[in-house]
Amino acid sequence: MQPTPLRTTVIGSYPFPAWLEFASAHLEQFGSDDIAELIDDAVVAAVHDQLEAGTDVITDGEQTRLDFNLSFYGYIKGIQPEPASPRRWGPPAHDQRGKHTIVGDLTAPAGLGAVDEFLRLKRLAPVSGGSPTLKASVPGPYTLSGRLLPNAQYPDRYAVTEALLPIVRQELEDLVEAGCRELTVDEPSMSCYAYREDPARFVDIFNRTVQPVVGRCRLSTHLCFGNYKGHPVGLRRYAPMFPDFLELDVDEIHVEMANREYAELEVIGLITEKRDAAVGIIDVKSYFIETPEHVADTVRRCLEFAPADRLAFAPDCGLSQTARWAARQKLKNMVEGVRIVREEL
């Protein structure tokens, strides 16, 4: 059951402040202490906006990550970046994202950096009495494999995934050892390709990844359809994932609903028979600002399918691709809309 009925949460990422965007493009002008200060200040800004909104769960906004998962490749040995994307101009699409060539054994002797991120969040977030909850998020091995090009040693995506699996698993264990009690393993690639791959195979990969931390923290997964510069990828249907994904060994399954105009909303009833459901009710790909009343109406619709103590609410995806002024207002209105229904109950 949810720690708080109708809990409000976030996925992970949050917009960079404008000054951080500028500084990131001119890092050669900064010293190491300057950069450490930039990072701390960016996390403080992201935490401030979430606290001001009043969300029950907050993150560091992934302010040290270049991208949802691309930055993790900087920690992985045995790869080298491609010199440039094959298509650099024109409308934005996923083929413009960077890829890496595998040149040796895939290892991460220093971990993936998520532990340092979480310890920084603990240091900077003014949390008392365990409220709000601090959350960390890590991409799962199948999603992480998506930007690595198979070779003779790792001949297909599943082979790359198997090589990354123990790396991600160790990162999850290290996060729990560092005191993380709320942990999301993001696997949007599983959502995007479940219609053409074996969903039971995805479940097996996921469960082997999280096995060491099951029962040691509140564990969730985020199933969405991508958000590269405001664009999804893949067939945006949850039906191919279920009932197989009900066997994911998690406490909570997050589903993207707002951008899909609540198609398949009934799936949350299926999920909440075995797990909690976190419903995406804020569209991070649109600049329509949901009002508190709009959010409250949506929450009431969700209660037609699932009980309050099994439901949480969040943006569809991370907010990193949304302008900060909109992200801030969307979060505030989400929390206020959920509060309206909490008081009704």
Side-chain angles (χ1 to χ4, degrees):
M1 300 292 183
Q2 289 289 341
T4 302
L6 306 184
R7 192 167 67 143
T8 54
T9 183
V10 290
I11 304 306
S13 70
Y14 194 74
F16 285 1
W19 49 263
L20 183 61
E21 293 270 11
F22 178 84
S24 297
H26 301 86
L27 285 180
E28 73 282 354
Q29 299 183 32
F30 296 87
S32 58
D33 287 351
D34 300 319
I35 292 172
E37 182 180 280
L38 282 168
I39 292 170
D40 274 15
D41 290 350
V43 172
V44 167
V47 166
H48 169 271
D49 285 5
Q50 294 170 84
L51 291 176
E52 186 177 50
T55 54
D56 297 313
V57 180
I58 67 171
T59 70
D60 71 342
E62 299 177 3
Q63 298 293 291
T64 61
R65 300 184 189 180
L66 173 67
D67 173 271
F68 157 65
N69 61 359
L70 294 187
S71 290
F72 288 100
Y73 299 130
Y75 294 92
I76 298 175
K77 305 298 183 182
I79 63 177
Q80 64 183 24
E82 290 285 274
S85 302
R87 185 177 68 89
R88 303 181 69 181
W89 304 103
H94 287 66
D95 62 330
Q96 294 177 331
R97 300 180 75 216
K99 291 192 175 184
H100 294 71
T101 302
I102 300 175
V103 295
D105 294 339
L106 296 176
T107 63
L112 295 174
V115 175
D116 287 343
E117 292 176 344
F118 180 72
L119 292 176
R120 183 185 298 110
L121 175 62
K122 285 179 65 177
R123 173 169 58 84
L124 296 175
V127 173
S128 61
S131 180
T133 300
L134 305 182
K135 183 170 81 167
S137 62
V138 178
Y142 184 73
T143 292
L144 199 56
S145 71
R147 311 313 298 174
L148 301 184
L149 300 171
N151 64 0
Q153 184 178 4
Y154 305 103
D156 59 27
R157 183 167 183 175
Y158 285 107
V160 177
T161 297
E162 290 296 336
L164 295 173
L165 192 154
I167 296 173
V168 176
R169 183 166 54 201
Q170 185 61 56
E171 195 76 2
L172 300 180
E173 289 190 81
D174 292 345
L175 278 164
V176 171
E177 289 295 324
C180 181
R181 295 295 174 262
E182 183 106 6
L183 186 51
T184 294
V185 179
D186 289 303
E187 277 288 12
S189 288
M190 290 187 177
S191 316
C192 292
Y193 300 117
Y195 76 98
R196 73 182 194 194
E197 303 289 334
D198 179 6
R201 187 175 189 179
F202 285 158
V203 170
D204 173 66
I205 290 168
F206 187 96
N207 287 350
R208 285 189 287 118
T209 303
V210 303
Q211 186 274 326
V213 298
V214 171
R216 300 174 60 195
C217 63
R218 182 169 179 82
L219 189 61
S220 61
T221 190
H222 172 224
L223 304 174
C224 76
F225 301 99
N227 183 26
Y228 178 67
K229 297 188 177 179
H231 295 278
V233 63
L235 180 68
R236 298 192 301 157
R237 293 185 62 236
Y238 282 108
M241 305 174 210
F242 294 97
D244 295 87
F245 276 28
L246 294 177
E247 301 308 315
L248 293 171
D249 209 346
V250 294
D251 301 292
E252 178 181 289
I253 295 176
H254 177 278
V255 286
E256 171 187 351
M257 286 290 170
N259 185 254
R260 299 169 59 253
E261 298 181 358
Y262 301 95
E264 303 177 288
L265 183 59
E266 66 277 3
V267 77
I268 68 173
L270 184 65
I271 292 170
T272 55
E273 290 178 5
K274 299 189 70 170
R275 313 281 184 231
D276 291 349
V279 186
I281 59 171
I282 295 297
D283 188 351
V284 303
K285 301 181 181 77
S286 169
Y287 283 93
F288 165 72
I289 305 297
E290 298 86 351
T291 65
E293 293 74 20
H294 178 98
V295 170
D297 286 343
T298 303
V299 172
R300 296 184 192 105
R301 285 180 62 191
C302 292
L303 286 168
E304 296 175 12
F305 296 97
D309 55 7
R310 284 288 197 185
L311 287 175
F313 296 96
D316 274 344
C317 303
L319 286 157
S320 65
Q321 304 296 297
T322 307
R324 188 177 174 196
W325 63 265
R328 186 187 295 117
Q329 194 61 55
K330 281 171 173 279
L331 273 187
K332 285 182 179 179
N333 290 0
M334 181 186 79
V335 172
E336 176 61 19
V338 172
R339 185 193 62 80
I340 290 170
V341 181
R342 276 183 185 166
E343 293 183 355
E344 293 172 356
L345 296 179

